[in-house]
Amino acid sequence: MPSQPAFRADLLVIGAGVAGLSAALEAARQQPNARVLVVSSHQPDCSPSTAWAQGGMAAAIAPDDSPQAHAADTLRAAAGHADPEAVRLLTTEGPDAVDFLVQQGTCFDRNPQGDFALTREGAHQANRILHAHGDATGVEIWQALMRAWETRPQPSLLPGCQLLQFRQGADGRVLGADFLKPDGSLLTIDADNTILATGGYAGLYARTSVSPLANGLGLALAMLAGAEASDLEFVQFHPTCLLCEQDPLPLISEAVRGEGAELVNELGEAFMRQQHPLGALAPRDIVSRGIWQQLQAGHRVFLDARARPGADFASRFPGIHARLAQAGIDPRQNLIPVTPATHYTMGGLRTNLDGRTTLPGLYACGEVACTGVHGANRLASNSLLEGVVFGRRAGRAALAETAARRAPAVTPAPAIKPMVPTGLRALLWQHAGIIRDRQGLETGLATLMSLDNQPAHHAACHLARGILQAALERKASVGAHFRSDFRSS
């Protein structure tokens, strides 16, 4: 493989979603003369996972809301597993995160009076969800941050580069990374500090709402390099994806239920009303299990939006309306068939509140990190907020840390296979899905060995083993992790 001379950076940011770009912009704002380099696996005309976010971003900015109330909702949804201090930081810094995004050019939807148009989603006790273009919040935020980065005096963005391995000193410190460029050549980047912002691993599942490219490769490579991961068993399933043959499944945002749409089976029964006081707006893990149990019992499940939002559906959710039209569904007249699918992963690299991982020189933010804010079940629309808040914190901390300038003595690394082997996605869906038990998890681990007899050398298999093992070791039902053989935590 041909190699290029090494780039040199004060700070290397791997990933160009909301977390990575927030980190890079904040670092550059703190030290304008620093060499901050962003490397992304996607091309400039292709969007990362951030752009898939439909519903919006939560922040306590309404006069009748408060960061304390937002924190209480977050902790409640997290099923007692969140870090209260991390949640306090998330919600307290939420309004400032909104100001930061507006300064970068993000245009959130506003009401006729000029105030932010706020809506409500599941498990929120107040209207605190900001959105853009109805249901294209992630796209708006990502495009604004990308424009802000590219219009800097000396923008530094290398697109289309796949992470291969971290460069490490003899003491294990991360000193940059190696990448595979689109032309097949090797790109080497030496950096004082590195921020990983490569997203989650929900795409490792067969039925998912995210791109299969969201396969946790960055997380797996960091684990193989020695970084500690936490809470890998906590995989969130979005309750309402369009039941169809597409991969990934089109997402029907929780905001649709926030506007009044109801979940019903083919008998017309609003079954969630009997399962939780919040009905169809209960926390996602509860709604997902409720739908899954209906499906397993032979029922079909639908989202009924005919009355509410009804005639306003197309104007409030233009993107979702267009995708439903492609499937031949008019939500003003037709029921929408839905199914749960993997959507977000609460687990990731264990970090402190400034994004430091357990591996010197490596920081992490966004979905690849486990900050403790989501606990066992992420509160709706907290992910974009986490990306901004903790991305900025990581950017400040990583650039402020002065690394010893020395020639990297790169630790030999195994020949890592970056592709996802055939059968792995179906294996995780079957054995580590919405409802789990010991027998299924043990079967999944045994089957995993048949896919690759050296899972430590296969990034996706290494991560899958971590998910299955973590789910097996947590002998309780907590949030999104539900064990049918251990009903309560």
Side-chain angles (χ1 to χ4, degrees):
M1 179 185 301
S3 176
Q4 283 198 351
F7 279 73
R8 186 78 181 87
D10 296 309
L11 177 62
L12 166 63
V13 179
I14 306 174
V18 61
L21 290 174
S22 294
L25 285 163
E26 183 66 19
R29 185 163 72 168
Q30 295 292 319
Q31 296 188 33
N33 295 325
R35 293 168 293 180
V36 181
L37 180 61
V38 178
V39 180
S40 170
S41 60
H42 63 270
Q43 295 290 347
D45 58 345
C46 297
S47 59
S49 295
T50 294
W52 293 60
Q54 294 177 348
M57 188 181 87
I61 59 174
D64 59 348
D65 197 7
S66 69
Q68 292 76 22
H70 187 184
D73 288 346
T74 299
L75 291 168
R76 190 179 303 111
H81 195 70
D83 177 354
E85 178 60 15
V87 172
R88 185 193 68 79
L89 281 175
L90 177 78
T91 57
T92 301
E93 297 183 13
D96 187 55
V98 175
D99 291 341
F100 170 80
L101 290 177
V102 171
Q103 291 169 11
Q104 306 309 315
T106 302
C107 295
F108 291 110
D109 293 340
R110 296 177 181 266
N111 60 28
Q113 292 74 40
D115 299 322
F116 290 119
L118 301 175
T119 188
R120 186 178 303 194
E121 294 188 1
H124 287 272
Q125 303 298 312
N127 287 8
R128 63 169 68 101
I129 312 301
L130 297 101
H131 51 81
H133 312 294
D135 57 1
T137 313
V139 173
E140 171 64 22
I141 290 175
W142 173 69
Q143 289 179 342
L145 293 177
M146 183 62 77
R147 286 194 300 268
W149 184 252
E150 291 179 333
T151 55
R152 291 177 64 249
Q154 293 181 320
S156 300
L157 174 67
L158 296 176
C161 299
Q162 179 179 300
L163 176 64
L164 293 179
Q165 67 177 9
F166 293 98
R167 298 173 64 78
Q168 294 178 266
D171 58 356
R173 182 182 181 88
V174 172
L175 297 165
D178 292 330
F179 301 84
L180 182 65
K181 295 184 65 179
D183 62 5
S185 63
L186 179 67
L187 170 66
T188 293
I189 298 175
D190 291 334
D192 288 346
N193 287 288
T194 299
I195 296 178
L196 188 66
T198 50
Y201 48 93
L204 275 184
Y205 282 71
R207 189 173 289 187
T208 181
S209 68
V210 306
S211 168
L213 296 178
N215 56 22
L217 176 62
L219 168 60
L221 291 175
M223 291 167 61
L224 287 165
E228 294 181 15
S230 181
D231 292 352
L232 296 180
E233 68 273 30
F234 294 127
V235 177
Q236 186 174 76
F237 298 84
H238 197 287
T240 53
C241 291
L242 181 64
L243 182 59
C244 62
E245 298 301 318
Q246 296 182 38
D247 183 18
L249 296 175
L251 182 70
I252 311 297
S253 171
E254 194 161 344
V256 176
R257 282 174 282 137
E259 295 290 338
E262 184 60 88
L263 281 169
V264 298
N265 59 21
E266 81 280 5
L267 302 176
E269 298 170 337
F271 54 90
M272 283 306 303
R273 293 181 184 177
Q274 286 73 48
Q275 297 192 30
H276 194 277
L278 293 176
L281 285 175
R284 288 177 175 178
D285 62 312
I286 295 174
V287 180
S288 292
R289 286 195 296 275
I291 295 175
W292 187 248
Q293 288 164 349
Q294 290 281 317
L295 296 174
Q296 294 300 99
H299 292 292
R300 290 174 293 159
V301 176
F302 302 90
L303 195 59
D304 186 354
R306 294 175 296 180
R308 296 177 59 192
D312 295 328
F313 197 108
S315 59
R316 176 64 180 85
F317 305 105
I320 298 174
H321 187 270
R323 284 186 284 277
L324 291 175
Q326 292 174 354
I329 297 172
D330 182 349
R332 298 168 300 178
Q333 301 179 13
N334 309 129
L335 296 174
I336 305 168
V338 294
T339 179
T342 55
H343 180 63
Y344 191 86
T345 47
M346 281 73 76
L349 296 179
R350 185 162 63 85
T351 70
N352 70 1
L353 298 180
D354 287 326
R356 288 184 178 89
T357 72
T358 59
L359 202 57
L362 181 65
Y363 292 70
C365 57
E367 195 173 356
V368 74
C370 184
T371 62
V373 297
H374 302 309
N377 189 43
R378 175 180 66 100
L379 181 65
S381 289
N382 268 356
S383 53
L384 290 173
L385 179 64
E386 183 202 23
V388 178
V389 169
F390 286 91
R392 294 176 70 196
R393 293 181 70 88
R396 290 192 293 267
L399 198 55
E401 180 183 347
T402 302
R405 294 185 178 275
R406 54 193 170 187
V410 179
T411 303
I416 303 299
K417 304 173 185 176
M419 73 291 294
V420 176
T422 302
L424 179 59
R425 297 177 69 202
L427 183 155
L428 284 175
W429 178 259
Q430 180 179 356
H431 298 297
I434 297 172
I435 297 179
R436 305 158 174 183
D437 59 28
R438 180 184 60 80
Q439 182 178 357
L441 293 166
E442 289 180 344
T443 300
L445 283 167
T447 307
L448 183 62
M449 294 301 295
S450 69
L451 297 180
D452 191 316
N453 59 11
Q454 289 184 302
H457 290 179
H458 202 306
C461 286
H462 183 70
L463 177 54
R465 181 169 184 163
I467 297 167
L468 290 160
Q469 191 65 48
L472 186 61
E473 291 174 357
R474 188 174 292 279
K475 297 177 175 62
S477 290
V478 185
H481 170 68
F482 188 85
R483 288 279 298 265
S484 61
D485 46 352
F486 293 95
R487 291 283 178 160
S488 59
S489 58

